[in-house]
Amino acid sequence: MEVIFSGFVETKALPSTENPTKHYADLYSHLLAGNLAGVHHQHFFNFRLDMDVDGAANSIVEQNVEPLPSSATNPYGNAFTMNETLLRNEQEAQRLINLPSSRTWKTVNPSEANASGQSVGYTLVPGENALPFARPDAWIRKRAGFVNAHVWVTPNDPAQMYAAGFYVNQSKGGDGLPAWTQASRSIENRDIVLWYTMGITHIPRPEDWPVMPVHRAGFKLVPSGFFDQNPTIDVPR
Ligand SMILES: [Cu+2]
C-alpha cells in the first residue's frame, strides 16, 4: 500500500530579515522562498483492514525482536531472538511502532496450518510513520483519536467503518476507535479488523515550492507462513 503526497503546501508570510541569505524560520514554519514560509504539519491516514486469512476467524500476534545477553551460548554477543505475543482484547491491541524491536504484527488463523504445522499468517510491516506532535488534549487528537495508536484491533462490525466515527468536523470528539474499544471486546480467534494509522511529518523545504515533488509512504502486508514455500517457484504453466 502506498500513498503519494504532492500538491501545494500551505504557506504564510514571514517578515524580511536583515540578512536575506539567512535561513529564516519562526517556531511554526520554515522558509520556502522570499518571505514565504511553509507551515509545519502532519498528514494522518487510517486503513481499515478486514483481515480474513484462510477464513474469518483470526488472531493477531505482535512480533518483537530482542537482543540476547552475552552468555556461554552467545559468546560473541551477536545473537537475538524474536518473541510473539498474542493480543487478546481491544485494550491490549492499541500499539505503537517500535524501531528498537523491529516490531510487526501478524494476523494468523489458529485453525489452519501450513506444511510445517505453523498457523498461516500475514504480517503487517510498517513503513514511514510518526507520532502526533499535537498536545494530548488538542482538538485534533480528540476528534481523530485514532492517531493515538498505530495499530488497533476490533471485532468486525459493519457499523464501525470509519476510524474517527461520523461527523468529525467541529465535533466534540470521542467517536470512533477510542469509543468502540472502551468495551475491550475479545479479538481472539474471531472475525477481526486490523486498523493501521500512518502519520507523515511534513517540515516544508524549499524544494516543496512552488509545487511539491511526490513523497511516498505506506506499509506492506507480507505472507508469513501462509504459503509452504516461495510461491513464485513452480508457477503453474
Ligand atoms: Cu504536507
Side-chain angles (χ1 to χ4, degrees), residues 5 9 41 43 202 212:
F5 304 74
V9 294
H41 60 276
H43 302 263
H202 192 172
M212 270 182 71

Side-chain angles (χ1 to χ4, degrees), residues 7-236:
F8 299 92
V9 294
E10 186 184 29
T11 54
K12 69 172 191 176
L14 276 185
S16 359
T17 57
E18 295 198 349
N19 174 3
T21 61
K22 189 179 162 194
H23 183 73
Y24 192 78
D26 66 6
L27 278 176
Y28 319 106
S29 65
H30 271 75
L31 196 68
L32 295 178
N35 299 118
L36 205 58
V39 182
H40 306 159
H41 60 276
Q42 294 183 288
H43 302 263
F44 283 97
F45 296 79
N46 187 275
F47 299 88
R48 184 186 192 274
L49 306 169
D50 178 7
M51 302 300 290
D52 291 290
V53 178
D54 255 3
N58 289 173
S59 298
I60 307 277
V61 291
E62 181 174 287
Q63 303 178 313
N64 288 287
V65 182
E66 286 160 31
L68 290 168
S70 291
S71 68
T73 56
N74 183 23
Y76 305 110
N78 57 357
F80 47 94
T81 192
M82 190 274 279
N83 294 316
E84 293 192 339
T85 309
L86 177 71
L87 302 179
R88 290 169 300 181
N89 58 58
E90 290 177 302
Q91 288 293 314
E92 275 185 20
Q94 295 172 21
R95 307 296 297 161
L96 297 179
I97 59 168
N98 188 47
L99 186 61
S101 70
S102 291
R103 183 174 294 162
T104 54
W105 295 270
K106 183 163 70 166
T107 305
V108 296
N109 185 330
S111 309
E112 298 290 338
N114 62 21
S116 306
Q118 304 156 316
S119 294
V120 293
Y122 257 79
T123 298
L124 170 67
V125 181
E128 179 179 348
N129 212 326
L131 288 165
F133 288 108
R135 306 288 309 173
D137 58 350
W139 278 112
I140 175 182
R141 290 182 67 168
K142 291 188 221 167
R143 290 179 176 145
F146 66 84
V147 302
N148 294 315
H150 295 123
V151 160
W152 305 72
V153 186
T154 60
N156 186 20
D157 181 343
Q160 298 177 347
M161 291 296 290
Y162 309 111
F166 292 107
Y167 315 120
V168 182
N169 290 344
Q170 301 187 32
S171 72
K172 294 203 167 95
D175 196 6
L177 282 166
W180 307 331
T181 55
Q182 286 286 321
S184 202
R185 296 166 291 185
S186 168
I187 52 169
E188 248 184 279
N189 199 14
R190 62 188 294 187
D191 189 7
I192 48 176
V193 174
L194 176 60
W195 307 74
Y196 181 63
T197 302
M198 183 175 84
I200 303 302
T201 304
H202 192 172
I203 305 298
R205 57 190 169 123
E207 288 82 354
D208 288 340
W209 182 258
V211 62
M212 270 182 71
V214 295
H215 179 107
R216 297 164 190 274
F219 63 90
K220 286 188 275 193
L221 281 176
V222 180
S224 182
F226 184 80
F227 298 102
D228 295 332
Q229 62 164 44
N230 184 334
T232 63
I233 294 171
D234 197 22
V235 171

